[in-house]
Amino acid sequence: MIGRLRGIIIEKQPPELVLDVHGVGYELSAPMSTFFNLPAVNEEVMLFTHMVVREDAQLLYAFATERERLLFRSLLKVNGVGAKLALTILSGSDVDTFARSVQEGDTASLTRLPGVGKKTAERLIVEMRDRLKEVSSAMGIDTIVSEMPMTTAGAKSEAIEALVALGYKPNEADKMIRSFDSEGMTTEQIIRQALQRN
């Protein structure tokens, strides 16, 4: 299994990125919580990874911190939660906010995440309470945000694509971004604002 990668970011298109590790380009999927902390293209980064092997594909997921990866792995053990939904949950909620929602039995905040209905939210609360102790005790590794400048129109377009990839419908993603003034913002900042307002 591949547990960690250190390399140069050569492509960034949320939620996908390509990492050059000694001449090998690894395609990775990452939650928005990780994307917010990525350095710019052509800069080095170290990411924790989780590999999923299927009959038709071998997929790598990347995380800025060990806590995010632990939560992702714990979510995969929940009945009915696959890698895509786990990534969406991490994109719409940081580890501490998710843990608080589960501990407080707050189904309303969980159902605001795309793909999480009432039954899934209730299942998350029941099955994740004990598992969260391990995640909460783990130490995370933070990185400094360094973002490349981009025109607002290009950033909006990329943000909509990223939200659609996370499970939102195109018209929902567009509406989320139109709900605030994103002038001068980077793609990551627009996505962060949209998810916080949802």
Side-chain angles (χ1 to χ4, degrees):
M1 296 294 284
I2 300 170
R4 191 176 72 172
L5 289 172
R6 181 187 295 275
I8 306 297
I9 297 174
I10 55 176
E11 287 181 32
K12 270 171 61 174
Q13 178 64 49
E16 313 294 332
L17 69 143
V18 179
L19 199 65
D20 184 318
V21 182
H22 301 296
V24 179
Y26 289 88
E27 294 180 350
L28 306 159
S29 296
M32 292 302 104
S33 52
T34 289
F35 256 91
F36 296 151
N37 289 317
L38 286 177
V41 171
N42 296 323
E43 290 191 18
E44 187 179 68
V45 69
M46 190 281 290
L47 295 167
F48 295 95
T49 58
H50 177 82
M51 188 172 186
V52 174
V53 179
R54 302 190 325 213
E55 288 183 9
D56 60 339
Q58 295 183 26
L59 307 170
L60 266 177
Y61 297 90
F63 308 93
T65 69
E66 177 66 13
R67 294 181 77 213
E68 288 180 334
R69 182 172 67 173
L70 280 171
L71 178 55
F72 179 81
R73 288 175 169 173
S74 295
L75 286 167
L76 293 181
K77 296 174 184 174
V78 176
N79 185 31
V81 176
K84 185 175 181 180
L85 181 54
L87 208 66
T88 300
I89 290 170
L90 273 168
S91 292
S93 178
D94 61 51
V95 175
D96 293 328
T97 302
F98 177 81
R100 190 162 47 250
S101 296
V102 168
Q103 288 161 357
E104 294 174 358
D106 186 358
T107 56
S109 65
L110 293 174
T111 53
R112 283 198 287 270
L113 299 168
V116 178
K118 188 177 180 183
K119 287 184 179 179
T120 302
E122 290 170 349
R123 195 158 50 240
L124 285 168
I125 290 167
V126 170
E127 296 188 35
M128 287 296 296
R129 273 196 172 129
D130 290 334
R131 293 179 188 148
L132 282 172
K133 292 174 185 176
E134 178 189 354
V135 177
S136 298
S137 63
M139 294 299 291
I141 297 176
D142 297 324
T143 55
I144 297 171
V145 178
S146 177
E147 297 159 333
M148 291 190 72
M150 179 181 291
T151 64
T152 299
K156 280 183 180 178
S157 177
E158 280 196 359
I160 290 171
E161 287 178 21
L163 290 168
V164 169
L166 290 171
Y168 290 95
K169 293 177 182 176
N171 60 331
E172 289 176 335
D174 185 62
K175 187 177 179 182
M176 286 167 67
I177 289 170
R178 287 176 186 270
S179 68
F180 61 92
D181 181 12
S182 59
E183 188 66 34
M185 289 185 176
T186 63
T187 301
E188 288 85 355
Q189 288 169 337
I190 293 171
I191 295 167
R192 186 198 296 266
Q193 188 75 261
L195 289 170
Q196 286 175 346
R197 285 170 171 265
N198 183 43

